[in-house]
Amino acid sequence: MENNNSSSTTVLPSSQNTQQVLWNNNTQKSSENKTIVYQSEIMGTLMKMIERVAPSAANILVLGESGTGKELVARHIHEKSNRKNKPFVAINCGALRETLLESELFGHEKGSFTGAYNRKIGLAEVANGGTLFLDEVGELSPGIQAKLLRFIQEGELYRVGGKDPIKVDIRLISATNRELDAEVQRGNFREDLFYRINTIVVSAPPLRRRREDISALVTHFLSNSNHAYLNRGRQISEDALKAMQKYDWPGNIRELQNVCERLQILSEGHTIMINDLPENVRNPEKADDIIDYDPSLTLHELEKRYILKALAHFGGNKTQAANNLGITIKTLYNKLHEYGEFEKFAVHSKPMK
């Protein structure tokens, strides 16, 4: 792809500074869903963290909002580990009811329940020697949590209806957009399981904290879309790109990919113009970012108000608030103790006004 010399149009070539992490495996997913594209410093830091922790056998918990690419992070950890030539098996814990999830995860014996006409090998057994990725681990029921804990501790599982233990060697990576420590305090998540799965914690940053990557991501999605054969929407105007870079993308990378796909299908020409963008991307609600000086307000009080407003905005979710504020969760905890507000936000729920 060559650069267009028109002043109103930007063709987005792959930048020399853009990093792409690719891998091959036996899944049926398309290639663009197995690519990490980045050039931001925050993603560079994350990739360095992965390089350090991947060779270990430690269980890893990946935190991040919905759509931030937590499974991609998990796959990259697997590919950088000594298990890369073994299976990577993913299961969405929030998509299946308890009985079906247990069967999917641990398998079942023939005749163990109505409809069990054959023996089924569970995904944990399929992942033997490799990596088991549990997405939305915060959605696990108490019963499955207990069985998962035993599986992690003993390294063995029982199929539903089975009597004999089956030894399995896996590296466990879990992911959630929930605040698990708060779920522990509320009694919704086992404390012993929580500490088993979070030996190492990594965070997938939201797209609004890595805006430098939007240009490269748009290039990638437009170039690798299943609709590229339409030969429409292969490049994007400067105005359209700037609008996309200003938008906060609450759905993160998943939302960006969806918009790029839609633009490529609906675009009338080779170039995506600003009027082609969805209304919410073109004209997002603008927050007043001008703060008038108030002589009666100290910097300490201003910081306190802003942090508490961030927590209220995210419904008391300290992980999301800390990520958005650009501070660590430990710093946020220290601030709340300093303000005498820790108990108010001890659980993940909106504070009383």
Side-chain angles (χ1 to χ4, degrees):
M1 187 178 292
E2 296 179 351
N3 287 333
N4 188 315
N5 292 326
S6 168
S7 60
S8 63
T9 301
T10 299
V11 180
L12 299 174
S14 295
S15 168
Q16 292 182 349
N17 294 323
T18 300
Q19 304 295 317
Q20 294 195 10
V21 181
L22 301 166
W23 53 85
N24 297 314
N25 55 35
N26 295 323
T27 65
Q28 298 298 315
K29 294 192 175 184
S30 57
S31 61
E32 66 268 19
N33 290 332
K34 293 182 287 185
T35 306
I36 297 179
V37 178
Y38 70 97
Q39 56 189 20
S40 61
E41 183 177 349
I42 191 171
M43 282 299 294
T45 300
L46 173 60
M47 301 309 283
K48 289 177 182 177
M49 176 72 167
I50 290 174
E51 294 280 349
R52 290 198 298 272
V53 304
S56 74
N59 294 332
I60 295 177
L61 178 62
V62 184
L63 301 177
E65 298 174 15
S66 178
T68 51
K70 295 186 289 295
E71 183 172 340
L72 294 186
V73 171
R75 287 180 180 273
H76 190 51
I77 293 171
H78 172 73
E79 288 299 316
K80 290 292 182 180
S81 74
N82 298 328
R83 299 172 180 262
K84 63 182 178 180
N85 295 321
K86 298 293 184 177
F88 175 92
V89 178
I91 184 169
N92 188 325
C93 301
L96 302 170
R97 64 181 186 273
E98 180 176 350
T99 53
L100 186 56
L101 177 59
E102 182 178 2
S103 174
E104 286 293 312
L105 190 55
F106 299 122
H108 62 252
E109 296 292 349
K110 179 180 179 180
S112 56
F113 55 84
T114 302
Y117 301 116
N118 298 291
R119 169 184 284 179
K120 176 183 174 64
I121 304 300
L123 294 180
E125 196 172 343
V126 171
N128 189 29
T131 300
L132 179 65
F133 174 60
L134 300 182
D135 198 6
E136 297 189 36
V137 71
E139 307 298 325
L140 291 175
S141 67
I144 298 293
Q145 288 181 36
K147 291 175 181 178
L148 178 61
L149 177 63
R150 186 189 184 285
F151 169 56
I152 296 172
Q153 289 176 332
E154 306 297 330
E156 60 184 28
L157 58 84
Y158 287 86
R159 298 192 189 112
V160 177
K163 298 180 180 179
D164 298 323
I166 301 168
K167 285 289 184 180
V168 177
D169 171 33
I170 58 102
R171 202 267 184 85
L172 182 68
I173 303 179
S174 308
T176 184
N177 58 9
R178 288 196 176 202
E179 198 171 68
L180 284 188
D181 56 347
E183 295 299 318
V184 169
Q185 293 181 27
R186 295 172 65 183
N188 294 333
F189 201 86
R190 294 181 63 115
E191 185 175 19
D192 46 6
L193 178 59
F194 173 62
Y195 288 115
R196 280 286 182 176
I197 66 175
N198 77 341
T199 304
I200 302 290
V201 177
V202 299
S203 296
L207 191 52
R208 62 183 173 275
R209 289 192 61 202
R210 42 178 298 208
R211 296 179 193 270
E212 312 97 295
D213 295 334
I214 291 177
S215 174
L217 286 165
V218 169
T219 300
H220 177 72
F221 291 141
L222 293 182
S223 300
N224 294 280
S225 168
N226 291 332
H227 303 283
Y229 71 91
L230 295 172
N231 202 30
R232 297 198 296 265
R234 300 302 298 275
Q235 59 190 40
I236 187 167
S237 70
E238 286 187 31
D239 288 344
L241 178 61
K242 288 179 180 178
M244 294 178 85
Q245 290 172 324
K246 290 179 180 178
Y247 181 58
D248 277 346
W249 300 103
N252 294 296
I253 298 174
R254 187 179 296 127
E255 181 186 5
L256 176 63
Q257 182 177 9
N258 180 275
V259 167
C260 287
E261 182 176 1
R262 192 185 325 159
L263 290 171
Q264 197 154 54
I265 295 172
L266 299 178
S267 177
E268 294 184 0
H270 198 65
T271 301
I272 295 168
M273 308 302 291
I274 190 166
N275 288 334
D276 294 324
L277 300 181
E279 174 66 23
N280 65 309
V281 177
R282 288 201 314 268
N283 299 304
E285 294 182 5
K286 299 288 185 180
D288 185 4
D289 59 356
I290 300 175
I291 302 176
D292 293 329
Y293 174 66
D294 183 351
S296 66
L297 193 64
T298 65
L299 186 60
H300 177 271
E301 181 63 24
L302 182 64
E303 178 190 72
K304 174 183 175 181
R305 290 187 187 183
Y306 194 71
I307 288 176
L308 295 182
K309 281 186 176 182
L311 281 162
H313 177 79
F314 289 104
N317 189 312
K318 295 185 285 298
T319 300
Q320 290 188 14
N323 284 339
N324 191 258
L325 290 166
I327 60 177
T328 65
I329 189 70
K330 182 178 179 181
T331 297
L332 181 58
Y333 280 139
N334 290 339
K335 291 293 182 183
L336 290 175
H337 280 296
E338 180 183 334
Y339 305 147
E341 299 280 351
F342 183 80
E343 294 301 323
K344 186 176 180 180
F345 293 94
V347 296
H348 180 182
S349 59
K350 286 192 175 183
M352 298 295 293
K353 294 182 178 180

